[in-house]
């Protein structure tokens, strides 16, 4: 009977390992499929459009089924941050007051599915596993970006305008490639100690190289700010001194100011033939603020302000002076205001502050490098969202933010 018991044990372990491998594969595919990153492969003829669409909807359905499968654990984790569900719910019903209800409804469904995936990701994987899976996803994205930029330069690089020659890889714009590689740097830096040093430094090197090839000065500045912040976090662990808390908050504020000043210093100090208004962003923001006054509480619905044919997007384009219709306000905070008004923005701030406080506690209560990831990530997101729109938008940035918001509650219970 003993050998039979041992055989059963080995069989169960084998089955569990295979199930775990399937789950990890699902996570990696979803981190690509949800943001629509795979869109480039049909364009270069590597994958048919049907496969890319299928991958996205399989990720949607898979997330829903997995949350239902592990419903007990998901419910326990869900109730630890009810504000996430309030914000998600507000997003879903925002089509009711949108001028473009069909556009808003589709965007809202994306937000709901990203929340479900993030809940599953946070429930089923510990911090170390999350970092490994995220680093793997970003490493694959980096390798594919090099491949596309070198083999298919007409698709992997900008080929016209002021951006000509800048790499964008598998992403849709050079700044997105730069942002993803800054995120990759953060993730590889915080990999657990037992990770191969060669893999860690290879990931860091490739990420920095792609930031340089993207020519995104915003990403380059953000890279150095993020790396400096991580070194500070690692060196000055929490030792019961309130000064550390104040300095940490000061770093976040100083980083935001430094990013804006460093990125746009030419435009801020001189005109030199360039646009002295943060590369055209401030006219957009002025229009957004003026229009927000018309619907201050609940805004225009998710994506409603910038929907195709929107009079508000046209008005913002005219304000820039080029007639170009922007797809967003290039500022996450401004966009969440016009999306969901002061009510939605307040819910977001509550979620962010709760997450920041808990991530801060985790980072300064441990000597493990990986425990810095939550705090570093939400700091990076706060900085990056000053010049790009990632809040409540299909993409890895929002998915990871919600994952962090759920995960910090589970991690806190371990202490």
């Amino acid at each position: 009977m003993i050998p039979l018991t041992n055989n059963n044990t080995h069989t169960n372990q084998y089955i569990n390992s295979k199930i775990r491998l399937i789950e990890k594969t699902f996570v990696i595919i979803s981190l690509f499929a949800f943001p629509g990153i795979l869109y480039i492969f049909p364009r270069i003829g590597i994958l048919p459009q049907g496969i890319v669409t299928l991958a996205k909807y399989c990720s949607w359905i898979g997330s829903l089924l997995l949350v239902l499968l592990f419903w007990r654990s998901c419910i326990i984790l869900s109730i630890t941050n009810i504000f996430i569900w309030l914000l998600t719910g507000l997003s879903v019903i925002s089509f009711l007051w949108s001028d473009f209800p069909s556009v808003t409804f589709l965007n809202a469904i994306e937000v709901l599915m990203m929340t479900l995936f993030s809940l599953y990701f946070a429930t089923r994987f510990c911090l170390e596993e999350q970092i490994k899976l995220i680093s793997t996803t970003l490493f694959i994205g980096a390798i594919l970006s090099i491949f596309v930029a070198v083999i298919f330069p007409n698709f992997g690089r900008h080929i016209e305008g002021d951006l000509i020659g800048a790499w964008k890889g598998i992403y849709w714009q050079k700044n997105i490639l730069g942002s993803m590689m800054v995120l990759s740097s953060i993730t590889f830096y915080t990999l657990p100690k037992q990770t191969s040093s060669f893999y860690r430094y290879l990931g860091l090197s490739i990420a920095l190289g792609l930031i340089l090839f993207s020519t995104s000065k915003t990403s380059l500045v953000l890279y150095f700010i993020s790396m400096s912040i991580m070194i500070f976090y690692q060196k000055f662990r929490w030792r019961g001194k309130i000064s550390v808390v104040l300095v940490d908050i000061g770093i976040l504020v100083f980083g935001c100011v430094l990013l804006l000043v460093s990125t746009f210093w030419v435009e801020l100090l001189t005109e030199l033939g360039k646009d002295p208004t943060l590369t055209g962003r401030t006219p957009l923001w002025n229009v957004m603020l003026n229009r927000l006054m018309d619907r201050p509480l609940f805004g225009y619905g998710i994506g409603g302000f910038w929907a195709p044919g929107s009079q508000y997007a046209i008005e913002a384009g005219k304000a820039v002076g080029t007639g170009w219709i922007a797809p967003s306000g290039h500022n996450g905070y401004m966009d969440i205001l016009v999306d969901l008004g002061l009510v939605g923005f307040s819910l977001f701030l509550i979620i962010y502050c709760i997450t920041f406080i808990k991530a801060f506690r985790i980072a300064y209560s441990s000597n493990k490098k990986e425990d810095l990831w939550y705090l570093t990530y939400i700091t990076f997101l706060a900085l990056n969202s000053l010049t790009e729109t990632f809040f409540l938008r299909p993409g890895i940035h929002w998915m990871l933010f919600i994952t962090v918001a759920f995960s910090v509650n589970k991690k806190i219970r371990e202490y």
Side-chain angles (χ1 to χ4, degrees):
M1 297 299 293
I2 294 178
L4 181 60
T5 302
N6 289 337
N7 287 336
N8 288 337
T9 301
H10 289 311
T11 300
N12 290 335
Q13 290 176 345
Y14 176 80
I15 294 174
N16 289 336
S17 66
K18 293 302 179 182
I19 292 175
R20 200 61 172 167
L21 179 60
I22 293 173
E23 286 191 75
K24 291 179 179 179
T25 303
F26 170 77
V27 168
I28 293 174
I29 292 174
S30 296
L31 289 175
F32 275 112
F34 265 107
I37 295 172
L38 300 176
Y39 84 100
I40 193 171
F41 295 110
R43 295 180 60 196
I44 61 181
I46 292 181
L47 287 175
Q49 181 61 49
I51 296 297
V52 173
T53 303
L54 180 63
K56 179 176 182 178
Y57 286 108
C58 283
S59 296
W60 282 21
I61 297 171
S63 298
L64 176 59
L65 292 178
L66 287 166
V67 167
L68 293 175
L69 180 62
F70 302 107
W71 64 272
R72 288 187 178 86
S73 299
C74 288
I75 288 178
I76 291 173
L77 199 57
S78 288
I79 61 178
T80 60
N81 200 330
I82 195 66
F83 293 104
I84 293 176
W85 294 109
L86 291 176
L87 180 61
T88 302
L90 183 64
S91 302
V92 170
I93 66 172
S94 66
F95 76 93
L96 294 174
W97 57 84
S98 172
D99 293 340
F100 299 87
S102 60
V103 173
T104 296
F105 184 74
L106 290 175
N107 288 332
I109 293 300
E110 295 256 16
V111 172
L112 175 60
M113 292 303 168
M114 287 192 293
T115 302
L116 290 175
F117 170 80
S118 299
L119 175 61
Y120 158 75
F121 192 23
T123 300
R124 290 289 292 164
F125 296 92
C126 66
L127 172 59
E128 292 80 4
E129 291 174 316
Q130 290 176 13
I131 295 175
K132 290 178 180 178
L133 288 171
I134 295 166
S135 67
T136 300
T137 302
L138 295 171
F139 185 77
I140 294 172
I143 298 301
L144 290 175
S145 290
I146 295 173
F147 172 77
V148 173
V150 173
I151 306 300
F152 302 97
N154 287 343
F155 296 96
R157 306 181 193 183
H158 289 281
I159 58 175
E160 58 185 8
D162 295 336
L163 304 181
I164 188 169
W167 284 28
K168 57 181 179 177
I170 63 173
Y171 305 99
W172 45 93
Q173 210 262 355
K174 67 162 190 166
N175 288 335
I176 304 300
L177 172 62
S179 175
M180 296 294 283
M181 292 304 104
V182 175
L183 175 56
S184 181
S185 300
I186 292 171
T187 308
F188 271 89
Y189 184 88
T190 54
L191 279 169
K193 288 184 178 180
Q194 61 269 29
T195 305
S196 165
S197 296
F198 174 78
Y199 177 62
R200 185 196 305 275
Y201 289 116
L202 179 63
L204 287 169
S205 300
I206 291 177
L208 178 57
L210 284 174
I211 291 172
L212 295 175
F213 278 116
S214 74
T215 71
S216 172
K217 59 183 179 180
T218 300
S219 298
L220 187 60
V221 172
L222 185 58
Y223 170 83
F224 286 110
I225 292 177
S226 298
M227 296 303 288
S228 299
I229 287 174
M230 281 193 294
I231 292 172
F232 172 85
Y233 285 161
Q234 188 175 6
K235 185 175 181 180
F236 297 100
R237 297 284 187 171
W238 171 250
R239 293 293 182 267
K241 297 181 179 179
I242 192 64
S243 58
V244 176
V245 181
L246 298 177
V247 169
D248 187 79
I249 296 174
I251 285 176
L252 179 59
V253 175
F254 177 73
C256 292
V257 175
L258 182 61
L259 179 66
L260 288 174
V261 173
S262 300
T263 303
F264 304 111
W265 68 274
V266 172
E267 291 87 339
L268 287 169
L269 297 179
T270 75
E271 295 189 8
L272 292 181
K274 295 190 176 184
D275 178 10
T277 58
L278 299 185
T279 61
R281 285 175 172 85
T282 51
L284 295 179
W285 299 344
N286 286 334
V287 172
M288 294 169 74
L289 283 175
N290 289 333
R291 286 298 181 178
L292 178 63
M293 296 301 102
D294 296 334
R295 303 184 187 182
L297 291 181
F298 298 105
Y300 293 81
I302 298 294
F305 192 92
W306 301 105
S310 168
Q311 61 177 339
Y312 314 115
I314 295 173
E315 179 184 352
K318 291 179 179 178
V320 175
T322 61
W324 170 67
I325 307 300
S328 70
H330 292 282
N331 182 293
Y333 306 98
M334 294 295 298
D335 273 312
I336 201 171
L337 275 169
V338 295
D339 277 345
L340 297 176
L342 295 174
V343 173
F345 186 72
S346 298
L347 288 172
F348 165 75
L349 285 182
I350 292 172
I351 296 168
Y352 187 90
C353 291
I354 291 174
T355 305
F356 185 89
I357 292 170
K358 292 181 178 180
F360 179 90
R361 178 182 170 186
I362 292 168
Y364 287 94
S365 299
S366 168
N367 289 320
K368 296 180 180 179
K369 183 181 287 188
E370 58 266 30
D371 284 339
L372 294 171
W373 195 84
Y374 291 143
L375 182 58
T376 305
Y377 175 73
I378 61 173
T379 303
F380 152 79
L381 183 63
L383 295 172
N384 206 182
S385 296
L386 290 169
T387 56
E388 299 295 338
T389 297
F390 296 124
F391 300 146
L392 294 171
R393 292 295 188 274
I396 194 172
H397 294 81
W398 184 253
M399 292 164 68
L400 293 185
F401 173 66
I402 298 300
T403 299
V404 170
F406 280 127
S407 297
V408 290
N409 296 295
K410 185 172 71 172
K411 188 70 175 179
I412 286 290
R413 293 201 301 266
E414 296 176 6
Y415 290 108

